[in-house]
């Protein structure tokens, strides 16, 4: 073998090693690091562009039934970076890096279509729910359907019925087609990718579950960053008066860094087209915040809900919901 052939063979081997290494490492990079890497050579530029394209084609990392693409005709931001999680998680100061943008043809074992999804963060040991074996409905006399003391109730880990039970509609992830579209005024928003009938489960508000002190601390930081346009926070606080009316329970879920596509749902002063439901399940300690369609929703229509009615900050962030009853300022209160 002459020197030219040896050199060509060596170069091909080096390129192959570079490609394999890059396809393994680059999906872990955040956008700024990925952009810096892409400028170093043609090979890495090509791989980085492919990763960016795959990221923009599915925010859910193949964890949901359908891909949820980013669509942007406003600027050159291909996608919004965050760590995808389908349900509540405990708060943590350090978040593990999550690969996003792998080539499914070369690394199919990294594609997990939600097979390991568990919507329940804490379970009650020994809890006894329903004993229905053929699915739950009114005719079966399922006790979970009659448990209205605390509002909406689904079958859960304490029940004998299986995952196909009709009273587990929120426990299989997102089952409707959605897309994330960027607007010049409101930024990214979540839109219907198909017709959605009234009463359809849309998604859970997934993210870090915080104690109140941590939620208040984070909100102070987020307010400062948001006022200067450096951050779009997604910390949701839901307050619920228990049946005695003497106790108010609050749920703090922060989807700013970790969450699902619910973090892109914008506010509407008229209540929008989504109902916010605090959903409990037999055998589960914590309720979950879930969204259901409050009316029929057309294809390409933006999904919205009300962030609240209290506006303590007169100079708060502007509201661009476009409803006839728009207050002009987003809801705000002392977290």
């Amino acid at each position: 073998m002459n020197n030219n052939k040896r050199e060509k063979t060596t170069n091909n081997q080096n390129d192959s090693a570079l490609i394999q290494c890059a396809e393994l490492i680059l999906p872990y990079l955040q956008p700024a690091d990925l952009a810096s890497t892409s400028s170093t050579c043609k090979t890495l530029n090509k791989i980085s562009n492919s990763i960016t394209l795959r990221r923009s084609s599915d925010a859910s990392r193949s964890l949901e039934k359908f891909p949820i693409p980013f669509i942007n005709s406003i600027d050159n931001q291909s996608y919004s970076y965050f760590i995808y999680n389908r349900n509540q998680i405990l708060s943590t100061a350090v978040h593990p890096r999550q690969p996003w943008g792998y080539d499914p043809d070369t690394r199919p074992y990294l594609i997990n279509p939600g097979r390991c999804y568990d919507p329940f963060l804490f379970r009650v040991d020994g809890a006894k729910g329903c004993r229905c074996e053929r699915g739950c409905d009114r005719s079966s006399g399922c006790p979970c359907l009659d448990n209205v003391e605390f509002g909406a109730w689904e079958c859960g880990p304490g029940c004998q019925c299986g995952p196909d039970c009709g009273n587990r509609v929120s426990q299989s992830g997102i089952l409707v087609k959605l897309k994330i579209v960027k607007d010049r005024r409101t930024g990214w928003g979540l839109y219907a990718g198909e017709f959605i009938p009234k009463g359809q489960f849309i998604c859970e508000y997934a993210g870090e579950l915080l104690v109140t002190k941590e939620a208040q601390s984070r909100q102070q930081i987020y307010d400062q960053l948001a006022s200067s346009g450096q951050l779009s926070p997604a910390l949701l606080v839901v307050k619920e008066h228990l049946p005695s009316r003497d106790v108010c329970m609050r749920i703090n879920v922060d989807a700013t860094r970790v969450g699902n596509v619910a973090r892109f749902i914008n506010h509407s002063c008229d209540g929008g087209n989504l109902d916010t439901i605090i959903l409990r399940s037999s055998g589960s300690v914590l309720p979950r915040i879930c969204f259901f369609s409050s009316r029929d929703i057309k294809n390409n229509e933006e999904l919205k809900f009300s962030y609240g009615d209290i506006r303590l900050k007169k100079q708060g962030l502007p509201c661009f919901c476009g409803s006839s009853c728009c207050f002009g300022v987003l809801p705000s209160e002392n977290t």
Side-chain angles (χ1 to χ4, degrees), residues 200-257:
Q200 172 68 47
F201 169 72
I202 304 298
C203 62
E204 175 181 352
Y205 197 90
E208 296 178 85
L209 191 66
L210 307 179
V211 297
T212 297
K213 184 177 180 179
E214 175 66 16
Q216 292 171 338
S217 175
R218 289 193 186 187
Q219 190 61 62
Q220 291 179 354
I221 298 173
Y222 292 165
D223 286 344
Q224 294 176 356
L225 295 174
S227 62
S228 59
Q230 301 179 55
L231 181 74
S232 295
L235 199 167
L236 179 66
V237 177
V238 175
K239 298 178 181 179
E240 179 190 35
H241 288 280
L242 298 182
S244 66
R245 308 301 295 179
D246 295 328
V247 179
C248 178
M249 184 188 73
R250 55 179 288 154
I251 307 171
N252 312 293
V253 182
D254 188 3
T256 304
R257 293 175 292 181

Side-chain angles (χ1 to χ4, degrees), residues 274-333:
L274 299 180
D275 285 327
T276 306
I277 305 297
I278 298 178
L279 197 58
R280 291 174 171 80
S281 299
S282 301
S284 176
V285 175
L286 300 174
R288 296 154 52 232
I289 303 171
C290 295
F291 296 109
F292 290 78
S293 54
S294 60
R295 58 171 173 78
D296 289 348
I297 300 174
K298 299 178 182 178
N299 183 25
N300 298 319
E301 182 179 347
E302 185 174 4
L303 306 182
K304 297 181 180 182
F305 75 105
S306 173
Y307 290 3
D309 300 319
I310 301 174
R311 290 167 174 81
L312 296 181
K313 302 173 184 177
K314 295 181 180 179
Q315 303 300 323
L317 296 175
C319 177
F320 300 109
C321 71
S323 68
S324 59
C325 58
C326 180
F327 287 89
V329 179
L330 288 174
S332 60
E333 59 179 300

Side-chain angles (χ1 to χ4, degrees), residues 54-318:
R54 286 193 288 270
R55 286 181 175 183
S56 64
S57 67
D58 186 11
S60 76
R61 287 79 159 163
S62 299
L63 293 174
E64 304 293 357
K65 181 179 181 180
F66 301 108
I68 305 174
F70 290 91
I71 300 174
N72 182 3
S73 59
I74 305 300
D75 53 38
N76 60 1
Q77 184 184 13
S78 299
Y79 58 92
S80 176
Y81 185 86
F82 65 104
I83 297 175
Y84 198 92
N85 204 72
R86 298 175 70 188
N87 54 297
Q88 299 172 349
I89 63 170
L90 294 178
S91 63
T92 175
V94 179
H95 298 99
R97 288 183 177 258
Q98 181 186 60
W100 185 16
Y102 274 112
D103 183 351
D105 294 329
T106 59
R107 300 188 180 277
Y109 58 88
L110 290 167
I111 305 301
N112 175 17
R115 287 189 294 270
C116 299
Y117 174 57
D118 184 353
F120 306 113
L121 184 59
F122 293 111
R123 298 167 181 249
V124 180
D125 290 338
K128 295 182 180 180
C130 73
R131 291 294 176 260
C132 308
E133 297 181 356
R134 298 182 180 179
C136 304
D137 53 34
R138 295 294 177 186
S139 62
S140 68
C142 176
C144 297
L145 292 171
D146 295 326
N147 197 342
V148 296
E149 181 181 2
F150 287 97
W153 200 283
E154 281 191 340
C155 298
C159 298
Q160 189 169 320
C161 56
D164 295 331
C165 167
N167 194 35
R168 293 177 180 263
V169 296
S170 72
Q171 299 172 29
S172 298
I174 300 172
L175 302 178
V176 294
K177 294 180 180 179
L178 303 171
K179 54 188 175 182
I180 304 162
V181 182
K182 193 165 192 181
D183 179 82
R184 191 175 302 277
R185 296 189 302 174
T186 59
W188 295 108
L190 190 63
Y191 286 69
E194 62 179 346
F195 170 79
I196 300 176
K198 179 180 178 179
Q200 172 68 47
F201 169 72
I202 304 298
C203 62
E204 175 181 352
Y205 197 90
E208 296 178 85
L209 191 66
L210 307 179
V211 297
T212 297
K213 184 177 180 179
E214 175 66 16
Q216 292 171 338
S217 175
R218 289 193 186 187
Q219 190 61 62
Q220 291 179 354
I221 298 173
Y222 292 165
D223 286 344
Q224 294 176 356
L225 295 174
S227 62
S228 59
Q230 301 179 55
L231 181 74
S232 295
L235 199 167
L236 179 66
V237 177
V238 175
K239 298 178 181 179
E240 179 190 35
H241 288 280
L242 298 182
S244 66
R245 308 301 295 179
D246 295 328
V247 179
C248 178
M249 184 188 73
R250 55 179 288 154
I251 307 171
N252 312 293
V253 182
D254 188 3
T256 304
R257 293 175 292 181
V258 181
N260 64 357
V261 295
R263 69 196 298 275
F264 296 107
I265 304 177
N266 287 317
H267 164 78
S268 182
C269 293
D270 65 1
N273 48 21
L274 299 180
D275 285 327
T276 306
I277 305 297
I278 298 178
L279 197 58
R280 291 174 171 80
S281 299
S282 301
S284 176
V285 175
L286 300 174
R288 296 154 52 232
I289 303 171
C290 295
F291 296 109
F292 290 78
S293 54
S294 60
R295 58 171 173 78
D296 289 348
I297 300 174
K298 299 178 182 178
N299 183 25
N300 298 319
E301 182 179 347
E302 185 174 4
L303 306 182
K304 297 181 180 182
F305 75 105
S306 173
Y307 290 3
D309 300 319
I310 301 174
R311 290 167 174 81
L312 296 181
K313 302 173 184 177
K314 295 181 180 179
Q315 303 300 323
L317 296 175

